[in-house]
Amino acid sequence: MKKIVLLLLVSFLLVSCWPTTDNGEFPQQEYKPVIIARAALESSIAFQNSQPIIKAGKIYIKDDLMFINDVNKGFHVYDYTDPNKPVRLHFIKAPGATDLAIKGNTLYINQAVDLVTATFNPATKKFTVTNRNRYVFPQKQAPNGSNAYTKENEIIIDWTLIK
């Protein structure tokens, strides 16, 4: 019983020391949307030379290739023939991209509000966007759950922390 009371007391003390605003609410981080025009989004996917990962997301393995999402930036492509020594090959720039599915040589990319279909030929290293379904997904929310209003044909591809 003494242990329970002691645990409750320590818990209460920790919570009472938690930072709050003047009105007693917990401070909220504020974010600003990164917005691009619809036309810019649709021409933004590009097959580029490899580059360092900034913010790693999900990982996908397809045959001898490994794809690592760079959250809201695109996908890093690695030669995964030897899992002990992956070799960086390319970067698929896709602003707003957070997810990928692969079937055969077809990639399905969640790019902001759109579902993009592309093909990749590992032998020729050719990457081609073949289809775009617009507005399949809702606009991106900020990490704190807030939303932003956008004008027609404006797309949120990321959020930045306001300091």
Side-chain angles (χ1 to χ4, degrees):
M1 183 67 170
K2 288 181 182 181
K3 288 181 183 180
I4 293 174
V5 171
L6 182 61
L7 182 61
L8 288 172
L9 181 61
V10 169
S11 298
F12 175 74
L13 288 173
L14 287 175
V15 169
S16 67
C17 295
W18 200 267
T20 61
T21 60
D22 289 341
N23 63 3
E25 296 177 1
F26 291 107
Q28 286 283 335
Q29 291 182 318
E30 293 186 38
Y31 294 87
K32 174 183 172 189
V34 177
I35 297 173
I36 65 172
R38 156 73 49 203
L41 178 77
E42 292 188 10
S43 63
S44 67
I45 296 182
F47 197 62
Q48 302 178 334
N49 292 330
S50 66
Q51 48 192 270
I53 296 173
I54 306 298
K55 184 179 178 186
K58 296 179 180 179
I59 299 172
Y60 310 87
I61 307 260
K62 169 67 172 131
D63 301 327
D64 290 335
L65 294 175
M66 177 172 62
F67 298 81
I68 301 176
N69 176 238
D70 204 331
V71 179
N72 294 321
K73 306 285 184 243
F75 300 91
H76 300 272
V77 183
Y78 288 78
D79 178 337
Y80 200 61
T81 306
D82 180 357
N84 293 320
K85 294 182 183 179
V87 177
R88 199 179 297 191
L89 297 175
H90 309 285
F91 180 68
I92 301 170
K93 177 185 166 196
T98 56
D99 213 344
L100 172 75
I102 305 170
K103 184 174 183 182
N105 284 338
T106 303
L107 285 72
Y108 301 90
I109 300 170
N110 170 352
Q111 187 189 21
V113 296
D114 293 353
L115 177 61
V116 177
T117 306
T119 56
F120 177 68
N121 185 331
T124 63
K125 309 281 192 272
K126 188 169 182 178
F127 178 83
T128 308
V129 174
T130 57
N131 191 34
R132 176 179 293 274
N133 294 301
R134 294 172 184 87
Y135 300 105
V136 172
F137 307 106
Q139 287 276 18
K140 291 182 174 291
Q141 285 188 326
N144 64 2
S146 65
N147 293 305
Y149 294 102
T150 57
K151 297 176 186 170
E152 186 174 345
N153 291 320
E154 288 186 336
I155 311 296
I156 299 171
I157 58 168
D158 203 353
W159 288 85
T160 57
L161 183 61
I162 299 172
K163 296 181 183 190

